[in-house]
Structures are given as C-alpha cells and as structure tokens.
Amino acid sequence: MPHPRRASGSRILAAGALAGGAVAALEAPVRCDAQAVQPREALEDAKLYFTAPLRWDTRNWLEFGGTLVAIGAVHEFDDDVRDHFVGNSVDGLDSEDPKSAEDAVPAAALLAGTWLLAGLSDSPGGWRELGSMFESTALTAVSTEVLKLSFGRERPNETTDPDQWSASGTSFPSMHTSLAFAIGTVFAESGDDRYRWLRRALGYGVAGATAYIRVEHNAHWASDVAAGAALGFSTARFTMNRREGGAEKTTFITVRPAEGGGVTIAFAMPLH
C-alpha cells in the first residue's frame, strides 16, 4: 500500500471547489418562505459564536475543560496509532497527502445531496437544514484555520514526534474531520424522526469514516481528528440550536477503553 502524504493547500482548495461546484451545478429551485440563509441572521450567529466564551459560566468552562481532557487522553495514544498504520519508521515522512481531495468527497456529497433534497421538497424544514449546514460549515472552517495557525503542529507525515507544536505545521485540528462532523451532525439531527436512525447512520458514518481515513492516510494524528470532531459537532449543535430557537443543550463526555486498544470518546458541548 502506498504511504500517505502531506495535505497541500491546493488540494484542500480543490476539494472545496469540488463541493462548491457540485452544489452550483444543481439547478436552484424557486425558494419558499423559509430561505436557507438570511445574511442578517448569519452575521448575528457569527457574532454570538465567536464571543460565546464571554458568556460562559463555571459549568460551561468545566465542560470545556472536560473536552480538553478527553482530547488530551487521545493525545497519549498518538504515536501508537501512527505506528499501527505506518509502522515505527521514517517511511511515512514524505510530507505529502495525495488523498486530500478524495477524503473530502463523502462530506461534499452529503452537502450537495442536502441541497438537492431541499430543492426537491421546497419545505421550510429542508431549507432550514441546508442553512444550518452552510452556516456550521463556514463557522467551523474559520475556527479550524485559526486553531491550525495558532498551534502550528507538524503532521505525522512530517515527524514521528506527536509533540512538535509551534513548528509552522497545519495538523491540529483536522479540517477534513471538523467539516465532516459539522455537515454530518446537521444531517443526522435534522429532518423527520421517522428516519432518525438512517440519518444518524449516514451523517455520523460519513463523519466518523472521514476521521478514520485521515489517520489511516497518515495525514493527521489521532488527537487532531478528535479535536476536529469536537469542534465540528459543537458548532453544528450551536447553529441548529439557534435556528430551532434553543433545542437540547445537554453536555456529556465519556472516555472508555476501545476494543483492540486505545480509547473511545463520546462528547457533546453547546457553545451558547
């Protein structure tokens, strides 16, 4: 099996263009009263999203701290996970990621499919779902990029040391994973409850599979995808809560051993 390589900016942009092209290629239907995105609403949501920590109370900060602890627990297994997929050698240090665009296709297809379904149904719920998906994707992308620049962590295809921070890297958190969870969570938790099991299987399945293949392709450490999943999931829930007028805001974090080694983490944390 060829060794994975580093993600390049051009490949990620190409994946984004692919997603945008798929959406733009669909004929825009006549809009119903419930539009997908209202600019004024989106700007207000962005303001509340980026200033949310200013309104957190003690409980919110404890929940945030718990999420950091969970990500830290995954970090302890970063080198073991890399060794599992690549081996304890320098063979994977080629600093390239030829699978970047390919790994973005499932989430892009889910976004494009949601656009198509919203157009076919032309219902308020469909447009609300699409609006939440667009908004959570945009907020997650900005947040992920800021964190990448702030932490500067090197990727596992650049170093065998998972503690190479502030090294002008772009590994933490995983953009592919954060966007997949932002898109997948909205898809999973929207729509009719009659199809909830199917939506969750598809939405979280796409998100989880994206996280897995980014680690398998040696493009990210395990803690990169854990942080990306937390960010995408939380942002999606924030956006949906805003559009639904304040839905469920339960926070939970569980860490338990995974079959075959490692840990399994489940978490949910509202931002507002």
Side-chain angles (χ1 to χ4, degrees):
M1 181 180 73
H3 288 297
R5 300 181 172 86
R6 181 184 179 190
S8 65
S10 61
R11 291 182 184 275
I12 293 178
L13 288 175
L18 175 64
V23 171
L26 299 171
E27 181 180 0
V30 177
R31 304 295 293 276
C32 65
D33 292 338
Q35 295 187 9
V37 179
Q38 292 283 359
R40 181 175 297 180
E41 180 186 42
L43 289 174
E44 179 66 17
D45 288 352
K47 182 182 73 173
L48 292 174
Y49 174 83
F50 289 111
T51 61
L54 299 177
R55 296 181 296 280
W56 285 355
D57 56 20
T58 301
R59 177 184 175 184
N60 296 138
W61 283 109
L62 288 174
E63 292 166 349
F64 176 69
T67 301
L68 294 183
V69 169
I71 295 171
V74 177
H75 173 56
E76 294 299 313
F77 296 90
D78 276 340
D79 49 358
D80 295 327
V81 173
R82 183 188 186 278
D83 291 348
H84 172 74
F85 288 110
V86 183
N88 188 15
S89 69
V90 297
D91 292 343
L93 299 179
D94 46 27
S95 301
E96 296 181 9
D97 180 17
K99 301 284 189 178
S100 180
E102 177 183 324
D103 292 347
V105 169
L110 198 58
L111 177 62
T114 302
W115 174 286
L116 178 61
L117 289 175
L120 292 175
S121 65
D122 198 25
S123 66
W127 290 116
R128 185 165 55 248
E129 177 183 354
L130 183 63
S132 295
M133 197 172 284
F134 278 144
E135 188 172 287
S136 63
T137 298
L139 294 174
T140 299
V142 172
S143 299
T144 302
E145 191 61 32
V146 169
L147 290 173
K148 282 179 177 290
L149 295 174
S150 299
F151 286 99
R153 187 187 198 184
E154 289 192 342
R155 294 173 182 264
N157 56 27
E158 297 173 306
T159 178
T160 59
D161 183 0
D163 290 315
Q164 290 299 312
W165 305 87
S166 302
S168 300
T170 59
S171 191
F172 184 89
S174 165
M175 179 73 81
H176 285 74
T177 304
S178 63
L179 293 182
F181 268 87
I183 293 169
T185 299
V186 173
F187 184 88
E189 304 302 333
S190 299
D192 197 318
D193 282 340
R194 289 179 299 175
Y195 307 106
R196 182 66 56 225
W197 67 272
L198 179 60
R199 278 180 165 270
R200 285 177 174 169
L202 184 56
Y204 292 130
V206 165
T210 299
Y212 179 86
I213 60 179
R214 293 306 288 164
V215 176
E216 182 185 32
H217 293 162
N218 200 33
H220 284 287
W221 303 97
S223 55
D224 295 339
V225 300
L231 179 59
F233 180 89
S234 299
T235 303
R237 295 301 299 182
F238 166 85
T239 303
M240 295 179 70
N241 287 342
R242 287 284 299 162
R243 287 182 168 270
E244 295 294 338
E248 176 187 352
K249 297 189 177 184
T250 302
T251 297
F252 65 86
I253 301 174
T254 60
V255 182
R256 54 188 174 86
E259 186 176 337
V263 294
T264 298
I265 295 181
F267 53 85
M269 184 190 71
L271 293 178
H272 177 63

